[in-house]
Every structure is written in C-alpha cells, then in structure tokens.
Amino acid sequence: MKHILINEWKGFLRNRVFMILLFIFIFSLFLTTYLGIVQNNKQIQAQKEAQEHISEQWDKMDHGNPHQSAHFGSYAFKPTSVLNSIDEGINSITGNVLRLEGHRQNDVMFSEASQSLLISKFGKMKPSLLFQFIIPLFLIFLSFNSYTQERDTGRLKLLLIQGASLKKIIFSKIISIWLIGLVLLLFATCIQLIFNLHQLNIDTLFRLILLLISYSLYYLILINLTILLSVIFKSSTGALSLTVVIWVMWVVFLPKIIGNTVEKIVPLPTRVEFQDEMDKDRAQGIDGHNPSDNRRQELEQATLIKYGVNSLSELPVNFRGILMQADEEYGNDVWDKHFGTLYSQLQTQKNIYQFSGIINPFASLQSLSMGTAGTDMFHHLYFLSQAEEYRRDLIKKLNNKWRDGNWDKSFFNSIEDFHYNVPSFLMFIGKYLLDIVLLSLWSVILIFLVKYLSKKTVIL
Amino acid sequence: MIQLNKVYKTFNNHKALNNLCLDVKSGEIYGLLGANGAGKSTTLNLILGFLKPDTGSIDLIDASNTSIATDMIGYIPENVNLYPYLSGVENLDYFCKLSGFKYSKNELSKFLIECGLQDDAHHKSVAEYSKGMRQKVGIAIAYAKKAKVYLLDEPASGLDPLSSNELSELLKKLADTGSAILMASHDLFRVRETCNKIGILKNGNLIKEMDADQVTPEELEGVYLNFMKN
C-alpha cells in the first residue's frame, strides 16, 4: 500500500497541471484565510472602539434620572470569533449590534448583507467557500478516473499480477487523493494558527480540530463515492457525470428542498404577524406613561398598601420606578412568550434540518463548519439571550435606583458594559453530535461498500 | 508447467472455451493462434486467475511438482502501459516493490539490459518510449520477479520487424532458463519463429496442435487458413 501511495503522489507531483492547480489553491487559501483574519481583526478592533465610545459616552453624559438613562440605553456587540474568518455562517445576515433600552427588545442591527453591495450578498470569499465548493470539485476531478485509468490502460492487471490486491489499489488511491484535501485543510489551519496565535485558547483549538475532522470526513466521503461509482461504471465519464450530479444535489438542490420542507413542517410567523402579536399582548400590560391605565391603578393601590400610606406623595420611594419595573417585567414576560416560541421553532427547524444529513452529508458538514466557527444559529441565539439578560439586569438596576432615589454619577459609572461570554464548545457539542455521527456513518458505509465491491469486481 | 484440463468457460450462453486441454512444459514456448474471439484472451485470463473456469482445472506446477503461486506469473499484455511520469528504471523498481522485491539501481539496470533495453533509455521518461521499449520493460518486470510462467497477449502486434525479432530472441532466452511461455497471437510468422509448439484455437476448441519445427511457415499458413475457413 505504501508503494502505491508513494507512486500516486509521484504522479501528482510530476503533473504540471496538478502542480499549477495546487499552487492556485494554496495561494487562494492563503489569501482568503489571511484576508479573513485581517478583516476579522478590523471588525474586532472596530467593535472595541465602538464599545469604548459608548462606554465613554455613558460615563460623560448628564444622566438626569435613571429612567432617562434606561431610554438612552446601551449596545451589545456580538464579538467576532477567531474562526469567523474561516466560516462566517449566518453572521453576515443576522448582524452583530443590538440596541438595549427600556420598554422594548430590539432586533440585531447592521448585518453586513444589509449594508453591502448586491454582489457580496452571494457570499464573501472565505476559506469555507473554497473548502465546501471548490476543493471538493478538485478532489472529484482527481478521483473520477484514478481507478478507471488503471483499468482502461490494462495496468490494473499488471498491478494485480505483481501481487497488489484490488482492495489495496483502490484504498491507496482514495488515501492519496484524500491526503491532498488534508494538506489544503492543514495549510489553512496553519495560517490561522500563525496569524491568530495571540488569540488562541484551548476552546478555539478544540473547535479547529473538530472543523478539520469534519472537513476530512466530508472529503473522504466524496472521494470514496467518486471512486466507488468509477468502479461500478464501465465509463469514467459516466461515473464523473453521476458524481457531479450527486454533488450538485447535495450542495444546491437538497438544502433548498429540505429547507423549504422544514419551513412547511415548522412554519415561522412573518415579521409583521409576529410584531402584531407582540404588540397586542404588550398593549394589555401596564402603560407606565398613561396615568388612567387600569393596571397602573391596581399597582398604585398595592404599593400604597405595602408601604401603609394613603397617597403616592407619602411613599418613601419613587412610585414611577416601581411602575416602570412592573411594566418592564410584563414586557419581559411577553418577550419570553413570543421569542421563546420563536426560538424553540427555530431550534426545531434546525434539528429537523440536521436529520437531512442522512441523505445529504453536506448538510452535516455545513452545520459542523458553522458550529465550530461559532457562527451558526445556536451561537446567535445564545448571544441574544445573554444580551437580553444583560438588558433586563441593566433596566432593573436603573428602575430600582429611580425607585429608591439618591443617585449620582458614581452609580451610573458603576454600571458595567455588556460582556459576551463566548460559550465553550463543550457546552454546544451535544447539538452537533448528530452531524458528527452522520458524517462518520457515511464514511464507514462508503468504505465498507468500496471494500465489498473490491472483492466482487471482476477484472477483464 | 501450465496444465489446462478439460476447461469449459461460457459467457451468457456463449461457449468461450470448450473442453480445452493444454500443456506447456518448462523451457517451452507455446504459441496459441486464433482469430478474434477464438478464446485466446479467455485462456490467458483463466490462467491469470481473473476468471474461474465453469468446469475443468488449471494447474501451474514447477519441475519439483509443487504449485506455482499466481504471483510467479509474468504477464505481458499487448500494450504494456507503464506509468508515463516514471522512467524505465522507476517503473521496474515500482512493480518489483509490489511483488516484494527490492533491487538496487544497478540491479534494475542490469535486468533492463538483459531484456534488451539500451542503457541510455533507462532514466528517460517512459512517455518517450516506443511500444517495443515498453514491452522490454514489461518483460523485465516479469523477469525481475523471477517469474516461472510467462503469459504474453499479442506481444508482436505493432512492433517493427527488428523489435519483433528482438522479442523472439528474448523469449527464447527466457525459455532456456526453464520458464514456460504461453503466447497468444495472430502473427503466424512470429509464432513459427519463436515457439516450439503451436496450437490453433477456433470457437473455444483447440483444433490442432503441432511442433513448430515440423512445419514451414507456408505450411503453417495453409493449415491455419484451412481450419479458419472450415
């Protein structure tokens, strides 16, 4: 096997076209990875500066009362992960800045897709684009005639007569082409490691390793499938055509078809419907700014009883602070109800979509690629819930201070900025187990099929 | 050395070989003549182990009556397609390593020279080789692994007269070392020149066997054409 492998690599290295293509790929990978890192670092720096600016603005501003500050609010920045430079996932669509204020929960703003030119909405040149679309095609083209060439030239008989088994010949070819994919993956990984050395931690390393394993498995599946089809079919063009058709199904049609089906199974409300429903429920709550509101009057009564006084002016605390917090808590309940349902619908959609990996390993790969890069929906929802938690805490602090009175600049300055705790990958690994299992299953089944076929194939 | 006993082989109800009995002894070159579809390649594929006979047996036994493993067979196809990105020596080295033989560069060159490939061609890319040169490397591959049985499929096809003659001489030299050689061909003249024994195969039947030195080329042509027409 070792000799066949070495010979295959000699063939690659002495092939001028292959070497030119390999150089192009390595150069493209270097460029996309490096530019991705530069862009990432710029984004991290821009976020840092924006955060500092907001912090400074908060510290220097004349706050008036805490409720005014609640209206002024703050911002939560979704930090760009180091691996965002490999796969930006849904980040370019979802945006990365969230305005946090009293009375309302806002949507994330400033998605790149909403700000960039139309052309870049089709996807930026990230290594994931090369890993998922270009390199697989390259590997398919290297694989499709790797076996048939030996068979059609009669060299296969010579190899067998010399004592090499068909199984060894086929697997050597699979491994030799797979190694090319691995070299390209490792190259991009090394670039990441070199240029991000100062930002690396165990969690990122672990993510990077899983990213490598995922792509390696996917390449193994593709190469196995291509060679399997070339063993089955007499014509190498037939095998190539079928492989390309399957690949296009995997990367273009099935994701759309399955995506649409999932949306039909678990439909999401439209933005307008969702907002209408939210507004309807919200309107039934306390209107903190409307003195004739029934609920407000109920709260007034309850507060007067609690403090044992007859009028609001006798209260030792500011009733407006209590009122605003009550309004806030009602709003939180409404938000929890609606967004809770929406999040669980999104999670159900994602879970169902993950099962499509049974027929489409590309779906599992994409899920793992975005997941390990920390740019998928799970990570986005995690950011949103942390930001919301911070918002609630911030508004509560301000409302309570308004209730109790006696605030000064030091109180406002003591309020901490939003810090996003990036979830450790171990927290999330469970959500990707299905993808890992399905990719591994695809690999094992195809290896088994190739092994079986190599025993059954008649050489003539 | 090569013994085929009552071998039958059919493909989709078509009889490719019908009760074929063949015996190629050590030191003998056997020429199997026949038209396209006569069963020559099927015979070779059966001996090589790529096909299994429906009935009958195929035995490869050496002088001491022990079985010869299939990896002791040297096979030279009509077109020896070597790896074009390797030189003659590299090709030989690669195929030898597959059979478990590891030779030095000098030894490899010696094998190529013994098989008639000029010294200056050894390190040239095989892509620059003529068909005859590739065939010499093919024979060297079998020779280097110390093959006891050589199977050649249309070895002289497409060779110029000089290369064809060189091939004959080389095969005779190999037979002199005790190897058994079975050569399937259309080329009556070359078979007559090279082989000790000749068999004519028609529709899977071995219809005639003769010693090569008992017939002149003209007689052989007459016999062959007579059988083919009837």
Side-chain angles (χ1 to χ4, degrees), chain A residues 127-154:
Chain A
S128 62
L129 191 78
L130 289 170
F131 287 154
Q132 290 173 12
F133 300 98
I134 314 293
I135 293 172
L137 258 186
F138 179 52
L139 297 178
I140 288 174
F141 281 102
L142 284 177
S143 314
F144 87 97
N145 69 348
S146 170
Y147 167 79
T148 48
Q149 206 178 25
E150 301 287 12
R151 184 186 61 197
D152 298 345
T153 55

Side-chain angles (χ1 to χ4, degrees), chain B residues 107-127:
Chain B
E107 285 170 317
L108 292 167
S109 278
K110 215 174 123 193
F111 285 128
L112 287 173
I113 289 167
E114 281 182 54
C115 292
L117 191 73
Q118 297 296 317
D119 206 5
D120 56 347
H122 293 188
H123 297 284
K124 274 188 188 167
S125 158
V126 157

Side-chain angles (χ1 to χ4, degrees), chain A residues 47-59 72-77 100 386-387 390-391 393-394 397 412-421:
Chain A
Q47 279 192 358
K48 201 178 152 198
E49 281 168 15
Q51 183 70 64
E52 280 168 7
H53 174 73
I54 285 163
S55 218
E56 203 182 308
Q57 213 175 18
W58 178 269
D59 289 345
F72 180 81
S74 183
Y75 287 88
F77 293 94
L100 309 170
Q386 266 197 39
Y390 172 80
R391 191 196 71 80
D393 189 51
L394 170 74
K397 263 185 199 161
F412 292 106
N413 291 356
S414 71
I415 290 173
E416 283 182 12
D417 293 332
F418 171 70
H419 287 292
Y420 177 52
N421 293 319

